[in-house]
Amino acid sequence: MMMSQQFMKLSFIIIGFVLIAFLGVFVPTVHAQMSHKEMLQKADEARGNAEGIQWEISMDSIEGGREQHRTLRVNARGYNSLVDTLAPANVKGQKLLMQDRNMWFSKPGLSKAVPISPRQKLMGTAANGDIASTNYAGDYKIVSTEDGQLNSEACLVMDLQAVDSRATYDRIKYWVSKERIVGLKAEFYTVSGKMFKTATFEYKNSITINDKPREFISKMIINSAIIKDDVTAIKYSKPVLKKVSNAVFNLNLLTR
């Protein structure tokens, strides 16, 4: 009788292992059902690329020992976005418009908006393009991929190369979670291949897209790879899904 019970116990354990192995092999993971380009598009959605959305940004930077703070409001729809500066008082009213991968700047008193590059420095280690709606899927081509891990989370590590000079960076190494389909870390490189900045991302906000809840970015930390103490923290408020009219992205209305 004792031998029979031990045999049954051993049989259940073996069956359990077999089932786990079976499920591990045959149940497709989320990322396995998507192409690499689709993963990048999904990761963009978690960083602002949605059909009508608004959020506020709080930026704090330390650069060369100098501390700065800025508060911004972002209205975005797809790849277009309008950034209004709310504080401090000396830069209040400044605006950045991203439209069809082109960017313009305006401020009170300026009669005409000025074209600028997303690569230009905004504050601290952050560039203008860092606060606009993310469009890695459109601005970069996937040169290669490899499996990786970040903080014990399985990732697909993408090597992204800018399709032209309008992209914020020449090359990005991007860690995308296979389970959550969000970008976890990025390394930014010059055209010569030198890494000059890194960024990490957190997703404690959420939005609903096509009746499905999605994580949404809550924090981005940008560190200089050259001067270790230079850092910019970008905190995102809870996003609000809303209708954003075409007039918001009308260049002719930017200085009015």
Side-chain angles (χ1 to χ4, degrees):
M1 179 65 73
M2 182 65 73
M3 286 293 291
S4 176
Q5 288 179 341
Q6 289 179 340
F7 176 77
M8 290 182 63
K9 185 177 180 181
L10 181 60
S11 298
F12 282 128
I13 292 174
I14 293 173
I15 290 171
F17 276 117
V18 171
L19 282 173
I20 290 171
F22 179 85
L23 291 172
V25 171
F26 292 101
V27 175
T29 59
V30 175
H31 90 279
Q33 302 172 0
M34 307 170 71
S35 68
H36 295 161
K37 184 68 175 290
E38 288 172 333
M39 283 186 70
L40 200 54
Q41 290 169 335
K42 280 288 182 186
D44 282 348
E45 285 181 358
R47 293 179 57 193
N49 186 3
E51 285 301 315
I53 191 168
Q54 182 186 83
W55 68 91
E56 287 193 8
I57 289 174
S58 175
M59 297 180 68
D60 291 283
S61 72
I62 300 175
E63 184 180 33
R66 181 190 177 201
E67 297 184 12
Q68 296 183 81
H69 175 78
R70 195 169 292 192
T71 305
L72 311 159
R73 181 175 56 231
V74 180
N75 281 285
R77 191 181 68 195
Y79 300 137
N80 296 336
S81 55
L82 177 67
V83 180
D84 286 285
T85 307
L86 306 179
N90 64 324
V91 291
K92 184 178 180 180
Q94 293 184 359
K95 297 181 180 181
L96 290 174
L97 174 65
M98 175 71 89
Q99 186 189 73
D100 296 330
R101 303 180 67 239
N102 296 301
M103 183 171 265
W104 289 269
F105 167 81
S106 77
K107 66 178 183 179
L110 204 62
S111 61
K112 188 177 180 181
V114 179
I116 59 172
S117 169
R119 302 186 180 205
Q120 286 179 237
K121 175 179 171 180
L122 174 64
M123 191 181 83
T125 53
N128 290 329
D130 288 325
I131 60 168
S133 183
T134 302
N135 185 20
Y136 285 1
D139 289 346
Y140 300 88
K141 62 179 179 181
I142 303 171
V143 177
S144 64
T145 63
E146 61 181 356
D147 290 331
Q149 277 205 339
L150 189 70
N151 299 326
S152 302
E153 190 164 350
C155 298
L156 187 69
V157 185
M158 300 182 180
D159 190 353
L160 307 177
Q161 192 171 63
V163 295
D164 59 37
S165 61
R166 290 181 295 177
T168 307
Y169 301 101
D170 288 309
R171 185 186 150 219
I172 302 174
K173 193 173 182 180
Y174 197 36
W175 280 253
V176 178
S177 166
K178 291 182 178 180
E179 180 70 25
R180 298 188 286 147
I181 319 296
V182 295
L184 301 178
K185 176 185 173 182
E187 294 177 349
F188 304 109
Y189 294 83
T190 64
V191 70
S192 64
K194 182 178 181 180
M195 184 175 72
F196 67 106
K197 287 196 295 189
T198 64
T200 56
F201 311 93
E202 295 180 11
Y203 299 86
K204 295 181 180 176
N205 288 320
S206 65
I207 57 174
T208 300
I209 298 177
N210 297 327
D211 297 324
K212 295 180 179 178
R214 288 275 294 147
E215 294 181 70
F216 192 83
I217 191 166
S218 60
K219 192 174 185 180
M220 178 180 183
I221 303 289
I222 305 173
N223 287 282
S224 168
I226 301 169
I227 303 174
K228 69 174 185 177
D229 292 331
D230 285 0
V231 59
T232 299
I234 304 175
K235 297 177 182 175
Y236 300 76
S237 70
K238 183 176 176 58
V240 177
L241 292 174
K242 58 179 288 188
K243 186 175 181 179
V244 180
S245 70
N246 291 333
V248 172
F249 310 113
N250 188 330
L251 177 61
N252 296 321
L253 301 177
L254 193 60
T255 54
R256 294 183 182 177

